[in-house]
Amino acid sequence: MGWIKKILLSQKSYNQDKSLKHEQLSLGKEAPPLSKDLKENQSNIEKAFENAKDFKIENIHVGNREGMICYLNSMTDTSLLAEKIMVPLSNSSQQDRSITNLEEFESYRKEFFSGVGYHFHDKLHGLIDDVLAGYAGVIVDGQPKGLSLHVGNIEYRPIEEPSTQTVIRGPKEGFTESMDTNISLIRRRIQNTSLKFETMTVGKDTRTSVTIAYIDGVINEGILDEVKKRIKKIRTHAIFDSGNVEEYISDKNMTVFPLIYNTERPDSAAANLLEGKAVIIVNGSPFVLIAPTVFSDFFEATEDYYQSFFIGSFIRLIRYASFLIALTLPSLYVALTAFHHALIPTDLLFSLQAQREGVPFPAVIELLIMEVTFEILREAGIRMPRAIGQTISIVGALVIGQAAVEAGLVSNALVIVIALTALATFVSPIASFTAAARLLRFIFIFMAAVFGLYGILLCLFFMVAHLVSLRSFGVPYLAPIAPFIAEDQEDVFLRFPFFSNKRRPHYLKTESPLKNPESESPTPPRSKKGGGS
């Protein structure tokens, strides 16, 4: 048996070595430097892009020296390449331009490629990464550095209205899959030199760009350092969406509650930056991440701040009430109809019992059948083509509900409970937070079926205890409710007027606590006695 173990160990070692080499190549660790020999560089690059149909490499003259240019025609604008790169190269080849050192190479770039984004690289992996990102790589014989010139032409979806966070009043712009576009949407709203963007690369195969946005002098340095550290510690082969990054950097994964806020709205991201939070932009994703986040953030919407604070406060209270309805209404129905008949008014009790006459299932089974049916309809409505998805979900719910009542499988009252629960679920402005209520609702139903109202109270107790234990980048998840911070209550359950909101949240411990120190009420002062007008 010893020889079998030896073979397995050698195979494991081989796989680890192979994986390590692949990771070193992808991440640029111990990558070979560019050689002064043009043929050697060309051979290494051709080997790296072997069997890549869209890879092109051409021999050129850069001044009086031989050189090469390489690019991916699937990632570059060929007309821009011809205009900005190939024509200047052709013109320079007609001149007896000497390029013997880096200073002359830089002078050549300024003369012939001015106005084109560029990087100089002394490592092979740096030049290859730029080619993969839509640059054209230029290497000159005898030069230890390569030049990459930006001629990318990656088409992205144009700026459209957000699909998941719509508003009646407010900006209609939403983030897209282009990182440059998303950065410009934020920069357009915060025209301040203190707004900083730092970019790093994540994913050894996808090489996804992840940018951290923050306002220098406002954000807590400890929070910023923690965000950077967690992103740098991500070890994965691929990042396709901000949801992948969110899972890697969240404080605790064993919770149904989202610990990082995500949004499609540039105005929401800008507002959170001004509060002292960090915004994480992932290339290829229209959803940006905001950290740290607290429980009350998921009950706020940007539209609250675009209308009267009375209306904004009222709508926010509706959201809190809707969350409790979505979470507990079905379980309350089970508890009252199965255990606590004395709590139901007599006339209503007789009506419920009359409706349930002939229903073959107990209340909890009846409820679970309808809950699962509505979840299937909800998922079908999302996955089906948009033109018929909403129609199928609405019509399907009406038809199935009516048919179930007529068939005697469920009662009319139960259909009303399920419909009201479904409506309350959709009130939350953030879809990821809605999912938490949907999952917890089933636990509440089971506990109500076993213990009645005591089971519901027990679930609420453990849920609150769980929420208190959560952290988002070191910030208590229930702040400023627990721990209670009196100064921060002006924007939790109610939306106070702008002129009274002068400080940033205390729980963020920002470098600049004051936000609107000079804002005052617009109400004109009363005229003094004896004063003229």
Side-chain angles (χ1 to χ4, degrees), residues 140-416:
V140 180
D141 188 31
Q143 295 299 317
K145 284 190 176 184
L147 174 64
S148 59
L149 300 167
H150 187 260
V151 286
N153 181 35
I154 306 175
E155 295 187 5
Y156 290 98
R157 179 172 58 91
I159 298 174
E160 298 173 350
E161 185 176 356
S163 59
T164 62
Q165 296 172 306
T166 57
V167 296
I168 297 175
R169 181 177 181 180
K172 304 297 183 181
E173 293 178 324
F175 287 121
T176 71
E177 287 75 12
S178 169
M179 177 176 287
D180 291 337
T181 301
N182 294 342
I183 290 175
S184 70
L185 287 172
I186 296 175
R187 177 71 75 180
R188 196 182 303 171
R189 286 165 173 80
I190 306 178
Q191 299 181 17
N192 192 324
T193 56
S194 297
L195 177 60
K196 308 296 182 182
F197 296 94
E198 295 187 22
T199 302
M200 54 191 74
T201 303
V202 181
K204 65 183 181 182
D205 288 334
T206 57
R207 307 290 293 156
T208 306
S209 296
V210 178
T211 297
I212 303 172
Y214 61 93
I215 297 184
D216 192 24
V218 174
I219 189 171
N220 182 289
E221 291 295 332
I223 291 176
L224 179 61
D225 292 341
E226 184 66 20
V227 172
K228 293 179 183 178
K229 184 177 73 174
R230 293 189 188 185
I231 294 177
K232 289 177 181 178
K233 287 175 64 177
I234 295 176
R235 294 292 180 267
T236 183
H237 71 288
I239 293 291
F240 294 110
D241 186 77
S242 59
N244 303 138
V245 176
E246 179 181 357
E247 190 168 344
Y248 274 104
I249 65 176
S250 293
D251 285 60
K252 182 186 291 186
N253 291 324
M254 298 303 294
T255 180
V256 296
F257 293 97
L259 299 179
I260 298 178
Y261 190 91
N262 66 82
T263 181
E264 283 185 281
R265 300 191 59 83
D267 54 338
S268 178
N272 279 277
L273 283 169
L274 293 171
E275 289 290 307
K277 298 182 180 181
V279 170
I280 302 169
I281 309 168
V282 179
N283 193 32
S285 175
F287 289 87
V288 305
L289 306 177
I290 297 173
T293 190
V294 293
F295 183 76
S296 60
D297 288 342
F298 296 98
F299 296 92
E300 300 173 6
T302 53
E303 193 173 7
D304 297 349
Y305 304 94
Y306 301 147
Q307 52 193 345
S308 166
F309 60 90
F310 291 110
I311 301 299
S313 299
F314 173 71
I315 294 175
R316 189 171 297 180
L317 291 175
I318 291 292
R319 294 194 192 104
Y320 280 101
S322 298
F323 173 72
L324 290 176
I325 291 172
L327 195 64
T328 62
L329 183 59
S331 56
L332 283 172
Y333 175 83
V334 172
L336 293 176
T337 56
F339 293 95
H340 309 284
H341 302 100
L343 297 177
I344 305 176
T346 305
D347 293 340
L348 179 58
L349 178 61
F350 287 155
S351 176
L352 291 175
Q353 293 300 331
Q355 293 176 32
R356 287 190 47 77
E357 187 176 355
V359 176
F361 306 110
V364 62
I365 301 299
E366 178 188 12
L367 184 64
L368 287 175
I369 290 174
M370 293 304 295
E371 277 284 358
V372 172
T373 301
F374 271 75
E375 289 294 333
I376 293 172
L377 284 171
R378 187 206 308 265
E379 191 66 17
I382 294 173
R383 304 305 166 195
M384 293 184 71
R386 184 172 297 180
I388 61 174
Q390 292 182 350
T391 303
I392 291 297
S393 60
I394 296 172
V395 174
L398 293 174
V399 171
I400 290 177
Q402 184 65 27
V405 171
E406 292 180 355
L409 297 178
V410 298
S411 63
N412 285 310
L414 179 65
V415 174
I416 296 174

Side-chain angles (χ1 to χ4, degrees), residues 486-506:
E487 295 86 349
D488 290 345
Q489 300 303 312
E490 57 191 15
D491 198 24
V492 179
F493 298 104
L494 302 175
R495 202 276 278 181
F496 280 34
F498 276 121
F499 55 80
S500 66
N501 190 5
K502 299 185 179 184
R503 301 180 63 90
R504 295 184 171 89
H506 286 70

